[in-house]
Amino acid sequence: MRNLFPILMLITNLALNNDNNNNNNNYNLIHSTCRETPYYSLCLTTLQSDPRSNEVEGDDAITTLGLIMVDAVKSKSIEIMEKIKELEKSNPEWQAPLSQCYVAYNAVLRADVTVAVEALKKGVPKFAEDGMDDVVVEAQTCEYSFNYYNKLDFPISNLSREIIELSKVAKSIIRMLL
């Protein structure tokens, strides 16, 4: 029985060290990946806030990080669409440009994000990259609609900037798969 305790301690120690090594590897992978993107801090906080990043490993690690970023683009798109609905109620005079923004972000959700997720899952990163490029175009289309209707303030400029930055980070990660 006295021999059993040291063996259990050894097994526990090995298991804890293996978890620490895996966490260090994930930490290093996330940091090195984010260094290759245009918005290091945004990349880091986005990836670290998603529990899937704690379990990335193997050949699919970069794909998983790309999926996390595409999901962040999706979440931000949903947030923007909710904000557009609020603004339509509170500012009926902005109905025309907000309607165009709604169409643009609906395209982001229904086409760009969906295509990017499927492309990453099927191992065709080029289509995922194109989807993230399209997100930038859609965000700019929304912003231009306000300029077209001579609105001085673009009421979702911060959200628009955030989604553009997220999509650029996602694209940078996806390019690592090409």
Side-chain angles (χ1 to χ4, degrees), residues 136-154:
V136 174
V137 171
E138 299 295 355
Q140 290 170 339
T141 298
C142 174
E143 188 170 353
Y144 295 149
S145 71
F146 269 84
N147 292 337
Y148 178 79
Y149 288 99
N150 296 321
K151 303 295 178 198
L152 298 177
D153 292 328
F154 180 50

Side-chain angles (χ1 to χ4, degrees), residues 45-60:
T45 56
T46 303
L47 292 178
Q48 288 178 332
S49 69
D50 192 300
R52 292 176 290 176
S53 67
N54 295 327
E55 299 167 9
V56 295
E57 60 184 330
D59 295 338
D60 294 336

Side-chain angles (χ1 to χ4, degrees), residues 29-99:
L29 175 66
I30 290 169
H31 281 271
S32 64
T33 300
C34 289
R35 280 189 200 101
E36 300 298 319
T37 69
Y39 303 100
Y40 174 79
S41 296
L42 176 64
C43 176
L44 204 57
T45 56
T46 303
L47 292 178
Q48 288 178 332
S49 69
D50 192 300
R52 292 176 290 176
S53 67
N54 295 327
E55 299 167 9
V56 295
E57 60 184 330
D59 295 338
D60 294 336
I62 300 297
T63 300
T64 301
L65 297 180
L67 285 166
I68 292 169
M69 290 307 301
V70 171
D71 284 347
V73 169
K74 178 181 179 180
S75 294
K76 187 58 66 178
S77 297
I78 292 168
E79 182 182 341
I80 289 172
M81 290 182 76
E82 289 170 357
K83 183 67 176 173
I84 289 169
K85 288 178 186 177
E86 288 174 22
L87 288 168
E88 283 179 329
K89 291 177 184 173
S90 63
N91 300 77
E93 69 277 11
W94 292 349
Q95 201 271 330
L98 287 172
S99 180

Side-chain angles (χ1 to χ4, degrees), residues 110-135:
R110 301 228 184 268
D112 304 328
V113 167
T114 303
V115 166
V117 168
E118 287 303 312
L120 286 170
K121 288 180 178 179
K122 291 179 180 177
V124 191
K126 179 63 181 146
F127 291 122
E129 179 187 26
D130 292 345
M132 292 300 99
D133 277 337
D134 288 348
V135 171

